[in-house]
């Protein structure tokens, strides 16, 4: 079948331009195979990364039809099925662009320096400091090793980093790839610096609290590492060790859960006062709420009373079951 490949071409400090290539392809052809043919048969100047025939390294990550994926894993048939509605009656089209959240070097090749730098920030190496070095190796039971199976599948392809909304607005956030690796370190029975790690990952919006839980990282991960879930595991470990006085981020999570347990949904009158005002301890925080409170009053959107939702007892029971399971 005949397919149009629209590729975003770009050089540093230049505006991107969309270039169209026409290929006769089979449904089973991968996107990478099609790009190879474009480069070999039509345009040798097209730039993209690949190393997939040497190892599973995720070097051919790019945005295919608006989402980050591995070009060697996605085939033409899969892509056309997903865009068939928009292509109805026209020549089938597949659009390819470079990864997001990283500057473009040329065409589909991006500078991944920030990706690797942020990975280093979580100290992604098992620490055995303070342990006596054994004669052969540090042993793990099968159960201990199984805790690393999911996070150990990460191939550092950059797909989750590319789609992370938090990184787009907060350059200090280390990213889902780094925090998934951080969870792999914390879950490793051989590591001796778990408490120090959790303190580091708890710092402001640079660590776990910078995640906006948009789910895109989970959706695009080709290896089912589920970075957002791993960030959730780290958050829970931190919450288990901290009280509401530790930080606003900690209070936000704990107050939300407590209020839902109490009334089935959030009592907004208490939420801001408890989180921002620190249970009336933070005068500056309370004063910062005044302008918003006045605007809500003027617009009739400030809740003057609170009625618990129906099924509050069931909600409370579910939360307590989850909490008991986690503990």
């Amino acid at each position: 079948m005949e397919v149009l490949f629209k590729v975003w071409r770009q050089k540093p400090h230049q505006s991107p331009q969309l270039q169209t290539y026409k290929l006769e392809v089979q449904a089973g052809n991968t996107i990478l195979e099609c790009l190879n043919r474009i480069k070999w048969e039509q345009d040798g100047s097209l730039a993209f990364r690949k190393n997939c025939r040497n190892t599973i390294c995720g070097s051919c990550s790019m945005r295919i039809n608006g989402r980050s994926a591995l070009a060697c894993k996605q085939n033409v048939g899969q892509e056309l099925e997903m865009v068939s509605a928009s292509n109805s009656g026209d020549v089938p089209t597949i659009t390819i662009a470079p990864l997001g959240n990283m500057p473009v070097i040329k065409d589909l090749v991006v500078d991944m320096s920030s990706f690797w730098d942020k990975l280093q920030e979580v100290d992604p190496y098992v620490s055995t400091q303070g342990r006596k070095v054994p004669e052969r190796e540090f042993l793990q039971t099968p159960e201990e090793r199984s805790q690393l199976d999911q996070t150990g599948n990460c191939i550092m392809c950059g797909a989750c980093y590319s789609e992370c909304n938090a990184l787009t607005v907060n350059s200090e956030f280390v990213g889902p790839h780094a925090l998934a690796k951080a969870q792999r370190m914390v879950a490793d029975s051989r590591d001796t610096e778990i408490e120090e790690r959790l303190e580091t990952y708890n710092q402001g919006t640079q660590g776990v609290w910078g995640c906006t839980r948009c789910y895109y990282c989970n959706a695009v991960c080709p290896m089912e590492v589920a970075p957002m879930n791993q960030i959730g595991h780290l958050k829970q470990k931190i919450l288990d060790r901290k009280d509401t006085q530790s930080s606003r981020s900690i209070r936000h999570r704990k107050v939300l859960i407590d209020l839902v347990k109490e009334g089935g949904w959030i009592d907004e009158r208490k939420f801001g006062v408890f989180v921002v005002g620190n249970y009336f301890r933070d005068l500056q925080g309370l004063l910062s709420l005044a302008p918003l409170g006045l605007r809500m009053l003027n617009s009739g959107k400030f809740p003057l009373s609170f009625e618990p939702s129906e099924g509050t007892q069931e909600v409370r029971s579910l939360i307590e079951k989850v909490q008991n399971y986690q503990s």
Side-chain angles (χ1 to χ4, degrees):
M1 65 179 131
E2 193 174 72
V3 176
L4 296 180
F5 289 86
K6 294 186 176 182
V7 182
W8 283 102
R9 307 289 304 273
Q10 186 178 355
K11 294 181 180 180
H13 314 299
Q14 294 184 13
S15 298
Q17 294 183 332
L18 195 60
Q19 189 163 347
T20 301
Y21 303 93
K22 186 182 294 185
L23 276 182
E24 189 71 28
V25 299
Q26 301 295 323
N29 291 147
T30 67
I31 302 302
L32 181 60
E33 289 171 335
C34 295
L35 287 173
N36 281 334
R37 285 187 54 199
I38 291 172
K39 186 174 182 67
W40 296 336
E41 300 171 9
Q42 299 185 28
D43 187 349
S45 69
L46 178 63
F48 55 91
R49 285 193 177 114
K50 60 175 182 177
N51 198 31
C52 310
R53 298 304 182 256
N54 293 332
T55 182
I56 303 176
C57 64
S59 63
C60 65
S61 296
M62 55 193 69
R63 275 181 168 161
I64 304 170
N65 287 329
R67 78 192 188 289
S68 299
L70 298 178
C72 65
K73 186 176 181 181
Q74 300 302 118
N75 64 44
V76 172
Q78 292 170 327
E79 292 303 320
L80 294 184
E81 282 182 12
M82 287 188 277
V83 298
S84 58
S86 61
N87 283 335
S88 179
D90 301 324
V91 177
T93 301
I94 294 174
T95 302
I96 305 173
L99 294 175
N101 285 325
M102 288 170 275
V104 175
I105 297 175
K106 183 184 178 185
D107 300 337
L108 304 177
V109 179
V110 295
D111 183 352
M112 297 186 70
S113 298
S114 63
F115 175 88
W116 298 115
D117 289 345
K118 289 181 181 295
L119 178 65
Q120 291 301 316
E121 291 182 27
V122 303
D123 192 19
Y125 310 102
V126 176
S127 172
T128 55
Q129 183 178 3
R131 288 189 179 186
K132 182 180 179 181
V133 178
E135 292 183 3
R136 295 184 62 185
E137 64 265 326
F138 289 102
L139 299 178
Q140 288 182 300
T141 66
E143 292 75 18
E144 289 171 337
R145 179 59 183 83
S146 68
Q147 298 301 309
L148 312 179
D149 288 348
Q150 187 174 19
T151 51
N153 286 335
C154 178
I155 58 175
M156 293 294 155
C157 65
C160 64
Y161 192 91
S162 169
E163 298 297 331
C164 180
N165 287 329
L167 271 167
T168 303
V169 298
N170 175 18
S171 61
E172 297 300 316
F173 182 51
V174 293
H177 72 304
L179 290 173
K181 180 66 74 173
Q183 166 60 15
R184 184 246 179 273
M185 297 298 109
V186 169
D188 198 314
S189 61
R190 300 165 296 179
D191 195 89
T192 59
E193 297 184 355
I194 292 176
E195 298 303 323
E196 293 84 352
R197 290 183 184 279
L198 291 175
E199 284 296 327
T200 299
Y201 309 151
N202 184 36
Q203 299 304 311
T205 56
Q206 178 181 353
V208 295
W209 307 111
C211 173
T212 57
R213 302 179 297 281
C214 68
Y215 198 76
Y216 280 128
C217 58
N218 279 16
V220 300
C221 178
M223 301 303 292
E224 299 183 356
V225 174
M228 191 186 76
N229 295 14
Q230 310 310 328
I231 296 172
H233 294 322
L234 287 173
K235 286 181 177 179
Q236 190 58 53
K237 289 181 175 70
I238 292 169
L239 288 167
D240 290 342
R241 290 163 168 80
K242 301 291 184 180
D243 60 25
T244 55
Q245 297 306 303
S246 300
S247 68
R248 184 179 292 185
S249 297
I250 299 289
R251 275 198 304 281
H252 186 281
R253 175 63 73 90
K254 288 182 175 288
V255 168
L256 185 147
I257 294 173
D258 290 343
L259 290 179
V260 172
K261 283 178 67 176
E262 180 182 326
W265 48 37
I266 300 173
D267 185 343
E268 294 179 353
R269 302 170 306 163
K270 295 181 180 179
F271 190 70
V273 171
F274 290 172
V275 175
V276 181
N278 193 11
Y279 296 87
F280 299 98
R281 294 183 178 91
D282 186 347
L283 180 59
Q284 186 175 357
L286 287 170
L287 290 175
S288 71
L289 291 172
L292 175 61
L294 290 173
R295 290 197 300 271
M296 292 177 68
L297 281 171
N298 289 334
S299 61
K301 294 183 178 180
F302 188 86
L304 299 176
S305 61
F306 177 80
E307 293 291 334
S309 70
E310 295 182 5
T312 297
Q313 183 58 46
E314 287 81 359
V315 171
R316 184 180 302 123
S317 176
L318 286 171
I319 293 175
E320 289 174 348
K321 284 181 179 179
V322 171
Q323 290 175 328
N324 291 335
Y325 175 78
Q326 291 174 335
S327 61

